[in-house]
Amino acid sequence: MQLHDVWFVLIAVLWIGYFFLEGFDFGVGVLTKLLARDRKEKRVLINTIGPVWDGNEVWLLTAGGATFAAFPEWYATLFSGFYLPLLIILICLIIRGVAFEYRHKRPEDKWQTNWEHAIFWTSLIPAFLWGVAFANIVRGVKIDQDMEYVGNFLDLLNVYSILGGLVTLSLFTFHGAVFTSLKTVGDIRDRSRKLALRLGAVTAVLALAFLIWTQVSRGDGWSLVAMTVAVLALLGALGFNFKGREGWAFALSGVTIAAAVAMLFLTLFPNVMPSSLNDAWNLTVTNASSSPYTLKIMTWCAGVATPLVLLYQAWTYWVFRKRIGTQHIADAH
């Protein structure tokens, strides 16, 4: 395996980590309207991700930086062709971070309500758009012989990509509901577990349709294995959630996300961004990568820094591992 193949795998791992962690993060943001009955319950939901949401976004920054350094042609074509949806995602992430920090700065009801609306929409929109973006990457977009995207924004809105967006939105919301039941106590825990069952059923239907479509159009034996793992893990998550085994349910919903993302990358390889105009114009791990020397330096740096980041983030989750409920939230002044 050459270094450009190694970095393709590493970038896939970074996206898996991002969607696993930011997935329940987005899901909890969506649940602030679907699950919480009053402001105190919204505060409980927000507090479950309060210590970790910003750390989760580090995976996105690392994935983007690694793509820029390891596959500059992929990065350039992706960010120029997908400029508008990626800009919308970026704006949402900025507003979302501000909303978490500013929501409690003033006691007025209107002030807090507006920021709570912002948390909901800036969680829902990226959760949907990430699915649209990755579905288009797998499907192929209009790339010419100069490795440039020559389509427009409307070309990105097709049945397959919209289905992909609905899958990520429903899957992340289900993941967030399972995480909420894992991190809370009392009535909100019971209601989140019941909601997770309904969300999981919808997710199973959407995900099965999307994964089968992907497998039939671009899959091989390895992607079929990943698809099978994703489907079985989702069913297992639903079963453990029904039995009240939130830890296992959360682990398996994470496996579902990991296997589904792995399947998408397996259907791509050795391409990184297929052209829908001509297969000869596909961006591949070979023609889109940096020089071997650059990849070698990156590998050494990643080998040193990555374990430290993983240890620090694992420590953060360990420190904030306890459940919370409305009884832990002080009454508003």
Side-chain angles (χ1 to χ4, degrees):
M1 181 180 287
Q2 300 186 47
L3 280 179
H4 52 65
D5 299 325
V6 172
W7 273 97
F8 179 84
V9 174
L10 291 177
I11 288 172
V13 170
L14 289 172
W15 280 110
I16 288 171
Y18 174 66
F19 287 138
F20 178 92
L21 297 172
E22 193 82 31
F24 71 74
D25 203 319
F26 286 142
V28 170
V30 174
L31 291 174
T32 56
K33 282 195 177 296
L34 299 184
L35 179 65
R37 291 176 174 173
D38 52 35
R39 175 144 296 137
K40 183 171 282 192
E41 289 193 351
K42 289 181 181 179
R43 290 166 65 190
V44 170
L45 291 176
I46 293 172
N47 284 359
T48 62
I49 60 174
V52 298
W53 68 266
D54 48 354
N56 295 343
E57 292 185 356
V58 171
W59 288 78
L60 173 62
L61 300 176
T62 308
T67 304
F68 172 77
F71 299 100
E73 293 290 352
W74 184 13
Y75 182 92
T77 304
L78 176 64
F79 278 78
S80 60
F82 291 38
Y83 181 81
L84 183 56
L86 292 177
L87 177 63
I88 294 172
I89 290 173
L90 177 60
I91 292 173
C92 284
L93 294 180
I94 293 172
I95 295 174
R96 188 168 180 265
V98 174
F100 284 133
E101 298 298 332
Y102 276 72
R103 180 189 57 84
H104 63 282
K105 296 298 184 182
R106 290 170 56 179
E108 293 90 343
D109 181 73
K110 185 176 181 181
W111 172 271
Q112 296 193 8
T113 298
N114 288 338
W115 286 120
E116 288 163 0
H117 287 322
I119 290 172
F120 171 76
W121 288 109
T122 56
S123 299
L124 184 148
I125 293 172
F128 175 76
L129 288 181
W130 279 127
V132 172
F134 270 84
N136 274 295
I137 293 174
V138 172
R139 176 177 178 267
V141 292
K142 294 180 179 179
I143 300 174
D144 64 12
Q145 66 272 22
D146 297 320
M147 298 185 180
E148 294 182 359
Y149 178 74
V150 293
N152 55 53
F153 176 70
L154 293 179
D155 291 328
L156 303 178
L157 299 178
N158 50 76
V159 176
Y160 178 75
S161 66
I162 291 174
L163 178 59
L166 293 175
V167 169
T168 52
L169 175 58
S170 61
L171 181 55
F172 291 168
T173 308
F174 168 70
H175 194 42
V178 175
F179 177 78
T180 300
S181 65
L182 177 65
K183 287 289 293 178
T184 57
V185 295
D187 181 59
I188 194 170
R189 174 189 178 188
D190 296 332
R191 285 189 284 113
S192 64
R193 191 167 66 244
K194 293 176 182 177
L195 180 59
L197 287 173
R198 297 195 294 271
L199 290 170
V202 174
T203 302
V205 174
L206 293 173
L208 190 61
F210 179 75
L211 295 178
I212 290 176
W213 191 342
T214 304
Q215 177 64 29
V216 170
S217 60
R218 290 190 173 273
D220 57 14
W222 288 109
S223 63
L224 179 60
V225 171
M227 185 188 81
T228 304
V229 171
V231 172
L232 292 178
L234 180 57
L235 295 176
L238 281 168
F240 279 111
N241 180 76
F242 178 75
K243 293 181 178 180
R245 302 288 297 276
E246 293 100 341
W248 281 103
F250 178 71
L252 287 174
S253 66
V255 171
T256 302
I257 293 174
V261 177
M263 178 189 177
L264 297 183
F265 276 90
L266 286 168
T267 59
L268 271 178
F269 188 81
N271 299 316
V272 295
M273 205 166 177
S275 171
S276 60
L277 300 178
N278 190 328
D279 288 342
W281 299 339
N282 290 350
L283 297 183
T284 68
V285 292
T286 304
N287 64 21
S289 68
S290 295
S291 66
Y293 181 73
T294 300
L295 296 177
K296 183 177 180 180
I297 296 298
M298 288 177 61
T299 304
W300 280 105
C301 292
V304 173
T306 302
L308 297 176
V309 174
L310 292 175
L311 285 172
Y312 173 78
Q313 194 158 25
W315 176 78
T316 303
Y317 276 90
W318 174 256
V319 169
F320 296 100
R321 66 189 181 277
K322 292 185 179 180
R323 296 176 183 265
I324 62 173
T326 53
Q327 67 270 27
H328 301 114
I329 304 297
D331 292 331
H333 295 291

